[in-house]
Amino acid sequence: MNPLAYDLVVLGAGPAGERGAVSAALSGRKVAIVERCREVGGAAANTGTLPSKTLRETALALSGLRARDLYGVDLSLRREANVADLLYHERRVTANERHRILDNLARHRVDLFHGRGRFEDPHTIRVTAEEVGVTGAAAPDDLLLGGEKILIATGSFPFRPAEFPFGDPRVFDSDGILQIERLPRAMAVVGAGPIGCEYACTFSALGVQVHLIEGRDVLLPFLDREIAAALLAAMEKIGVTFHWNEKVVRCETPAGDVILELASGRRLAADAVLVAAGRTGRTAELDLPAAGLAAARRGVITVDEHFRTAVPHIYAVGDVIGFPALASTSMEQARVAMCHAFDQTLKTAMAPVLPLGIYTIPEVSMVGETEESLRSKGIAFVPGRARYARNARGEIIGDETGFLKLLFRREDMQLLGAHVIGEQASELVHLGLLAMLTESGFDLFNRACFNYPTLGNLYKSAAYDAMNQRGS
C-alpha cells in the first residue's frame, strides 16, 4: 500500500491540532489531520473546557448567584430541573463548536480522516478504524498517510487511580461527569486542582452538597496567596466542604451511597464521586517506538523550544508535552511549531508571560508573578488593589467581594503580575497581560482613559493605590 503523500500529518483534531493544521495550510502546505473520535474538537469541545464552562454559566443563572442582591429578582433553582435540562445549552454550544472546526478545516482544504492513527515509521501514519475516510469521500478500512512533517496533538485523558471502581455508574472522571443522569444529593470531589474546584463550585451552586478532598493543606498553591484565600472563603460560602490533608484509601460501592474511606479513618457517603486526579497524555496507542520516540511519565513527550521532539521532523504540542496543558497555550504552541517546521516568521516563539483562568465561582485569573514568587526572587515590589464594590460597574453587577491586585516593581513601577477574582476575571486579566508584554506599568494606566462604568477602570484605581503606597 502506497501512502498518501502530505507535507504535514496532524494527529488529533482538538484545539492544538486544528490550529497547527490550519497554520500549515495557510502557508500553502498539503495537510491531513487524523482524529480518533467521531466528533472533532477534542476534550476542549466535547468533554472539558467548553462543556464545563457552559454548565457553570447555566448553574449561575439557575441558582440566582449571578443575581446576588438585585431587588425583586428571583432566579432560584427549580428543584425539578434534571441534568438534561441543565445541559441543553452546553450541547448546543458544543455542536456549534464542532461545526466551526469542520468548516475551518474544509475552508483551508485540510483532509480530515476519522480513525486511530499510529506510527508505521517516522514519516508514515497508519489509520485504522471502523469508519475511516476523507471527509466527503469513501476510503478503505485501513490506509497509510506519509508526512514530510508530523505534528502530535492527541491531547490527554483523565488519570484513573486504581482504588476507584470506574465501572460503577456513580463514579466519574472529569471526562464522564457530564454524562451524569441526575443531580446527586451529595457529591465527593477527589482532588482540588483547577478541574476539581471548578466542578465543586458548579455542583454546589446547583444545590448539591459537595465534599472536596485534597491531599495538601493549601488551595491551588500556584495562585497568589491572597487570591487563594479569597477563593477559599467564597467556595465555603456557597457550600463547598473541604477535607484537607486527606487521601482516599478505599472506595466502596454498595447499594445506596458510595462510601469513601479516608486516610484519617473518616468515612464519607455520597451518591456520586468525581475523581479529578490529573490527566495522562494520549500517547500509548501511537506506537512511538516505531518513530524513534518514547514517552515519559503519564505519557508526556519531551520537546525543545520549537516543540520538536527527539526526531527533528516530528513535533508535539498541547497536553502531550505536559504543563501548562491549557487549550489557549496549546493553540499557540501549535502555531509556533508549524512556523518553525515550514520556515515561517509569523510566530517564532511563545509569549514570555501566559495567562491562566480558573472558572470557579467566583472566577479567578492571573498572569505573571505572585507576591510569593517575587519575594523568593528578592525583587522589591509594591502591590495595588481595587475592589469591585468600589467600582461603578462592580456595583451594578453586584459583585461585593471581587478585586483586582497588581504587582509593580518598586524601582520603576513596571507591572510584573496581575491577579483577579470576581466576575469576568478571565477577560479582565488581559489588560494586565498586554501591559506586561509591552513592559509597561503605572504610566500606561495613568495615561489611559477607560469607558465608564467598566471593570477596566479597576486597573487605574489599583495603579493609583500602588503609587500611593510606594510614596508612603
Side-chain angles (χ1 to χ4, degrees), residues 258-295:
V258 177
I259 306 298
L260 298 181
E261 181 179 334
L262 307 184
S264 65
R266 183 174 183 181
R267 292 167 66 86
L268 287 177
D271 48 346
V273 175
L274 166 61
V275 182
R279 298 181 69 86
T280 298
R282 194 178 292 280
T283 53
E285 61 194 45
L286 297 181
D287 196 3
L288 292 178
L293 294 173

Side-chain angles (χ1 to χ4, degrees), residues 221-227 369-378 381 405 407 419:
F222 53 85
L223 291 180
D224 184 275
R225 289 297 85 205
E226 184 178 4
I227 297 291
E369 304 282 359
T370 65
E371 279 202 39
E372 293 71 30
S373 66
L374 289 173
R375 289 195 185 97
S376 70
K377 296 174 182 178
F381 67 94
K405 178 179 181 179
L407 300 172
H419 307 267

Side-chain angles (χ1 to χ4, degrees), residues 240-321:
V240 177
T241 299
F242 286 86
H243 302 270
W244 301 108
N245 295 313
E246 286 283 19
K247 183 181 187 302
V248 177
V249 296
R250 185 175 293 103
C251 178
E252 301 172 0
T253 55
D257 287 339
V258 177
I259 306 298
L260 298 181
E261 181 179 334
L262 307 184
S264 65
R266 183 174 183 181
R267 292 167 66 86
L268 287 177
D271 48 346
V273 175
L274 166 61
V275 182
R279 298 181 69 86
T280 298
R282 194 178 292 280
T283 53
E285 61 194 45
L286 297 181
D287 196 3
L288 292 178
L293 294 173
R297 181 176 177 270
R298 288 209 180 183
V300 170
I301 299 174
T302 301
V303 295
D304 66 13
E305 69 273 18
H306 304 297
F307 304 101
R308 287 185 304 183
T309 67
V311 179
H313 72 275
I314 301 177
Y315 293 73
V317 294
D319 286 14
V320 294
I321 66 170

Side-chain angles (χ1 to χ4, degrees), residues 20-325:
V22 170
S23 294
L26 285 170
S27 66
R29 268 60 182 190
K30 184 180 180 182
V31 181
I33 189 167
V34 179
E35 172 51 50
R36 62 185 291 275
C37 297
R38 182 182 297 273
E39 304 291 356
V40 296
N46 297 295
T47 60
T49 306
L50 294 186
S52 64
K53 278 55 172 180
T54 307
L55 180 60
R56 175 187 181 274
E57 291 299 308
T58 302
L60 282 170
L62 291 177
S63 67
L65 284 173
R66 179 157 279 156
R68 297 185 179 88
D69 295 326
L70 302 182
Y71 181 77
V73 175
D74 179 12
L75 292 176
S76 57
L77 178 66
R78 303 297 189 268
R79 304 307 292 176
E80 65 272 17
N82 59 36
V83 174
D85 295 330
L86 300 175
L87 294 180
Y88 172 78
H89 184 49
E90 175 269 320
R91 287 170 180 142
R92 184 170 58 182
V93 169
T94 297
N96 288 341
E97 177 66 1
R98 292 168 181 161
H99 177 77
R100 182 203 63 75
I101 294 168
L102 289 172
D103 180 66
N104 194 28
L105 295 176
R107 284 190 298 109
H108 292 95
R109 297 182 174 85
V110 174
D111 289 339
L112 171 62
F113 294 83
H114 285 287
R116 293 183 181 272
R118 61 178 175 84
F119 283 97
E120 189 84 354
D121 60 51
H123 282 280
T124 308
I125 301 298
R126 180 176 293 275
V127 184
T128 306
E130 294 180 3
E131 296 181 34
V132 180
V134 182
T135 298
D141 291 338
D142 198 64
L143 56 84
L144 299 178
L145 306 177
E148 176 191 344
K149 310 283 186 182
I150 307 290
L151 176 62
I152 301 172
T154 45
S156 63
F157 57 91
F159 176 67
R160 290 185 160 193
E163 56 266 33
F164 294 96
F166 287 96
D168 189 282
R170 297 164 294 175
V171 180
F172 301 88
D173 62 26
S174 57
D175 277 3
I177 187 62
L178 294 186
Q179 303 305 314
I180 191 169
E181 295 181 354
R182 61 178 182 83
L183 277 180
R185 171 189 51 80
M187 171 181 283
V189 179
V190 182
I195 293 175
C197 286
E198 288 177 354
Y199 275 119
C201 288
T202 294
F203 280 97
S204 186
L206 291 169
V208 177
Q209 180 185 353
V210 175
H211 294 272
L212 186 51
I213 303 163
E214 171 57 39
R216 296 170 293 196
D217 61 357
V218 63
L219 181 66
L220 302 173
F222 53 85
L223 291 180
D224 184 275
R225 289 297 85 205
E226 184 178 4
I227 297 291
L231 176 60
L232 173 59
M235 291 177 68
E236 289 179 331
K237 186 176 181 180
I238 65 171
V240 177
T241 299
F242 286 86
H243 302 270
W244 301 108
N245 295 313
E246 286 283 19
K247 183 181 187 302
V248 177
V249 296
R250 185 175 293 103
C251 178
E252 301 172 0
T253 55
D257 287 339
V258 177
I259 306 298
L260 298 181
E261 181 179 334
L262 307 184
S264 65
R266 183 174 183 181
R267 292 167 66 86
L268 287 177
D271 48 346
V273 175
L274 166 61
V275 182
R279 298 181 69 86
T280 298
R282 194 178 292 280
T283 53
E285 61 194 45
L286 297 181
D287 196 3
L288 292 178
L293 294 173
R297 181 176 177 270
R298 288 209 180 183
V300 170
I301 299 174
T302 301
V303 295
D304 66 13
E305 69 273 18
H306 304 297
F307 304 101
R308 287 185 304 183
T309 67
V311 179
H313 72 275
I314 301 177
Y315 293 73
V317 294
D319 286 14
V320 294
I321 66 170
F323 181 84

